[in-house]
Amino acid sequence: MLSLPNGVRHVPGYFDREEQEALLTDIRQVAAEAPLYVPQMPRTGKSMSVRMTNCGALGWLTDKERGYRYQGTHPITGKRWPAIPERLLALWEQVSHYPHPPQACLVIFYDSSAKMGLHQDRDEEVFDAPVVSVSLGDACLFRVGGMSRSGKTVSFRLESGDLLVLGGEGRLRYHGVGRIYSGTCDLLKSGGRINLTLRRVTAPD
Ligand code: SIN
Ligand code: MN
């Protein structure tokens, strides 16, 4: 059995198939109001291989001119992000051990060739709340390491319905998605993977 670094909690099959379908319905509703778009890397403007959208008071985004940041509106429609679905607020209550609600839920869509380089989640103003993440659709190879990019990493599969929590010592660990295992799940009719990431961005009042 693989042992995970401190502060990394992986719960395989946290959501059963019926719950995954319900989450997918919620996320389709979010994407209908706040369409998925291709984010750009800071400075170079290079397109990322994933598509993204958000729900919540704040959404994470990146573009050539202004880089990584949170903002309250969709970069293309200019509208406020839709609310975080109840089911995800309930998840946060169940697993975050944090006494205030999440402010941001980043929705990432990976097609079969998309990936995500090693990075830290550090655009938030506070790091005392965990990052709570849900995987839907095709499996991926997830990597998590230390507090520096060059640290040793461990790799494991995240499958549809899995929960991953990065909290405490895990909160600022480098992590990324090495590859998608295409055709491993039929939740999304045309394949691919969705990751949902709940975060607290600012300190509570
Ligand atoms: C991310 O760290 O931004 C995404 C992680 C994932 O897709 O599981
Ligand atoms: Mn991340």
Side-chain angles (χ1 to χ4, degrees):
M1 167 90 193
L2 180 74
S3 97
L4 293 179
N6 289 342
V8 180
R9 181 173 171 225
H10 175 207
V11 187
Y14 186 89
F15 291 106
D16 67 18
R17 175 72 184 217
E18 201 178 318
E19 292 168 317
Q20 294 169 38
E21 279 166 8
L23 275 169
L24 186 60
T25 302
D26 289 343
I27 294 311
R28 287 216 169 99
Q29 183 64 44
V30 165
E33 284 182 55
L36 287 163
Y37 60 90
V38 178
Q40 298 169 336
M41 297 301 286
R43 291 182 297 279
T44 62
K46 190 173 179 296
S47 291
M48 293 180 78
S49 61
V50 294
R51 290 189 289 152
M52 291 183 178
T53 188
N54 288 271
C55 49
L58 293 170
W60 185 88
L61 52 92
T62 170
D63 58 24
K64 182 175 177 2
E65 292 75 24
R66 293 172 60 202
Y68 300 156
R69 65 190 185 278
Y70 281 93
Q71 73 177 38
T73 53
H74 190 286
I76 295 165
T77 68
K79 291 203 284 191
R80 300 208 73 81
W81 305 106
I84 298 177
E86 281 300 326
R87 211 177 301 278
L88 290 170
L89 295 175
L91 170 68
W92 177 269
E93 280 209 11
Q94 284 152 18
V95 304
S96 72
H97 305 294
Y98 190 76
H100 304 278
Q103 292 165 301
C105 176
L106 175 62
V107 178
I108 309 179
F109 177 77
Y110 295 77
D111 67 19
S112 60
S113 62
K115 42 184 145 184
M116 174 82 62
L118 271 189
H119 65 276
Q120 288 174 299
D121 285 10
R122 57 177 319 142
D123 300 314
E124 299 73 33
E125 291 171 18
V126 289
F127 301 124
D128 55 339
V131 173
V132 173
S133 149
V134 178
S135 296
L136 296 172
D138 282 334
C140 77
L141 185 67
F142 188 82
R143 274 208 297 167
V144 61
M147 312 301 162
S148 76
R149 187 184 298 280
S150 58
K152 169 169 91 55
T153 61
V154 294
S155 299
F156 55 98
R157 269 168 85 118
L158 288 177
E159 310 271 352
S160 195
D162 286 10
L163 171 71
L164 188 80
V165 183
L166 300 180
E169 272 185 69
R171 177 65 181 75
L172 288 171
R173 287 189 185 280
Y174 272 83
H175 59 277
V177 171
R179 60 164 296 190
I180 301 297
Y181 295 103
S182 166
T184 52
C185 177
D186 63 1
L187 184 73
L188 306 181
K189 294 298 157 264
S190 307
R193 171 176 184 262
I194 293 174
N195 175 253
L196 310 173
T197 314
L198 296 161
R199 298 193 191 90
R200 182 80 202 180
V201 181
T202 64
D205 292 334

